[in-house]
Amino acid sequence: MVADGIQFLLTSPINGNTTSTTGNGTLIGGTAGFGFYEWPLSSTPINATSVLPNTTITQLDGLASAFYSALGSSVSTDSTSSIHAIAPYADNQVIFAGLFDLSGLGASNIAAYAGGNIVKVGGSGLNGVVNAVAVSSDRRTVYVGGAFTGSADGAQTGFRGIAKYDVASSSWSSIAGGVDGVVSDVSLANNQVNIAGNFTHVYSSPSDTTGAPTAGFASFDLSSSAWVVDGGVLIGSMTLAVAGDGNSTAQYIAGSVVSSSQYGASGWAILENGDNGQAVVRPSGVKLGSTTSSSTTTAKVKRHATSHHTGLLSKRQATGSSSSLPADASSPAPAVLAGAYWTNTTTSNQMVILGGNFSVPTSSGTGIALYDAGSKELKPLKGNQVNGIVRSLLVSGNTLVVGGDFTVAGLSARGLAFYDLQHEQWLSYPDQPLQASGNSLDVRSISSSGSVPNSIIVAGTFASPASLSCEAICAWDGSSKQWQTLGDGVHGQIASVDYAGSNQELMVVGGAVTLADGSSANVAAYSLKNSTWRALGTPPGVVTALAVNNLNESSIFAAGRTSQDVPFLAHWDGNTWSVQDNGWAASTVVKQLRLVPLQDTHSSNSILENDRMLLISGAIDSSTQGLMSSTLYDGQTYYPYLVTSSADGSPGSVSAFFNSYSSFSFNHRKLLATGIVILVSIAIATGIVFLLLLLGILWTLCTRREAGLAHPNPEDDDDESSFRHHRPSSLLEHINAATRTTILGGAGLAGAGAVAAHRKGDASEDTHADPDLWARAETPSDVMGAHGGMNEGEPGDVNRPTHARYSFAGGAEGELPVAAGQEIMVLDDRDESWWYVRDPTSGREGVVPASYLY
């Protein structure tokens, strides 16, 4: 039999001791007892349906008669008095608790039995029912849980359902600020006090009136004297929390379980590389608090798992309008919506900056916090605090640029502010603040391009500052501290910004956008070189998230909603948009798209290269895969990646992923350095607890298996963006050969797929050596002469047909222009990023990015 307790019910009054005679004449003496019985453990079976022998009586059985006597006249058949919990705290001494009033003793709801007598515990007892008692291993501290708020005599308050009793000093004290409901059980394990019950919040101190959502189960760390949510999380109304045996650290929790998850965190968590390259979740160990924002959006996402729409849009169908963006989903505090990194030049510590709708515990800070990963300390910005919601952050040098829907006391600007991280103070500019568009002002994106130094792009929902014409998107010149227009500008609302081109010279925006000439352009491109806007086709509807595939303007993903309010995911190949079938329900909201590298490759297709996937985050409701917060897409198949839940068990959502690399290349081969992490920033539907369930999809930030001609020394590749801007020097001979062919007007050399570069130490050495340990020949024909040519099927398989996934202009020297879908012949694929190819129609040869081919 397993039970959490046994309660004896009095079915008839018993007055005093009794004496009776059995049928065989044996005299039996008895003592009235109530509420307690100690069952002896014995190897000899005991028949509990018969009269028990005196040998079964224990020393503690006297508690029953003492308790009965202390209750006095209050004991009756309808008595509510009872003992709910009991625990030993010394030899033949126990503390017992429940619902009772021992008026003659002056003790309520908790007392002790010692030396054959009932004695008071810490004065008058507690002012409410006590359901659970747990004693520390050294028997110096007793932890109790129930429905009380202080001592029975009113001398002490602030306990709120849980308290501790110090045996030596015979005194009570609170545990943090308690909980907002009834505690059903208490257990001790791993230097933590674990409580189960019917509650929804825990409080950091007796004066805390906000609390942090934690439904049904919570742990209090005795070392840090704080509530923790780093481990697995149960959500519901719990009734039992017991520790495993002495050789186990396991906890057994029971009750009405709404949901359970593997990890728990307060508003955000860290996702980093494990020892074997797998993704590992590490809660931050700090908690965020709630706050009330005057500008909190009221639209709320409705989630369900049944309704879905299919067949409304087929691939390559072009429909859509530029009406307006859907209302932002609600982000009740505490929610983290944005993040950035800043290296403190004074301490050399890398700080994580969080933005959203939250408060910083033990401070007056709201909306923005700085987290030191080394000390695991969370602190607010100094100075006046943000009043509202922060949706975007950008660090430029020592300046933090903050965007969203907020105000800061003392600053005239709304929705955008600048903060000096080094001197810890708000800056007075901009002198010309952004203006509201109607009643709306919300900065959703703050970004910068490597092609325009000292310029910051601000985008969202706003009207032009002062007399400038830059509705929805403006450029801030960091040198002149003035606004600048972007060409003829646009109208509408912008939700997402990304960049394309080798030096990020092309800006791509998504939203509900109309160009200056009145044409709809929910995805538009702006040339930072010639200051011109153009529409990128006609996506299926307004765009809520956008991602450019590794700076390639011919591979862009956009997500949003059609004019029929159907969620979509579409891909731009340089010519047309193709809707990617997804089976998402109408309640789906996509908040972020980004391309991520893979540890292992997937099957090649015309949408995505095999070394990466599209990470889709938000609140996703799939008709086939259920509710998800993040899913991976390889161009053909969706793979559930993260499932989150709020503190009350309802579905959560992931707002954004952000990482410590300012940028990274898919060819960057260094393993993720110690301390460099990806942070998961989240906005949860109704609470703060961030719960992750990893479904076996391996993702590593910057590591791929070695294949083909890898760079011989990964440590030399310290600049993660260097590969993006410079081709390996081994390609020069191909460029030279292609250029000579173009000049001479002839076809390329037969068998030009011969290896044009090889590692030092290979079968043959060249005299033309690069300092980066690459060896090269002057031209492909030189290599063929040195190696005697290559046969079909050897590495670098020559004359192999392939197709162009995207169009490639090929304007630089030695590059071959190709059109999407065009068949070409691969002559040399030994370089991982650029392949030497031939156009069989024209006979021209040149290099093409490998990622453009499949």
Side-chain angles (χ1 to χ4, degrees), residues 149-221:
T149 59
S151 61
D153 59 7
Q156 289 182 277
T157 59
F159 292 170
R160 286 193 285 196
I162 186 168
K164 64 179 180 179
Y165 171 71
D166 184 82
V167 175
S169 63
S170 187
S171 61
W172 289 98
S173 60
S174 62
I175 295 181
V179 300
D180 65 348
V182 178
V183 174
S184 300
D185 207 357
V186 178
S187 69
L188 301 173
N190 308 321
N191 204 36
Q192 292 181 349
V193 180
N194 302 297
I195 64 171
N198 186 16
F199 53 84
T200 60
H201 290 73
V202 296
Y203 298 97
S204 59
S205 68
S207 61
D208 182 7
T209 59
T210 303
T214 306
F217 177 75
S219 296
F220 182 81
D221 185 78

Side-chain angles (χ1 to χ4, degrees), residues 838-849:
R838 178 193 297 127
D839 181 352
T841 303
S842 66
R844 294 180 60 191
E845 297 178 359
V847 291
V848 173

Side-chain angles (χ1 to χ4, degrees), residues 252-277:
Y252 298 93
I253 315 300
S256 177
V257 179
V258 175
S259 66
S260 63
S261 296
Q262 186 175 359
Y263 301 96
S266 175
W268 63 293
I270 298 169
L271 186 64
E272 58 188 351
N273 285 346
D275 294 337
N276 299 317

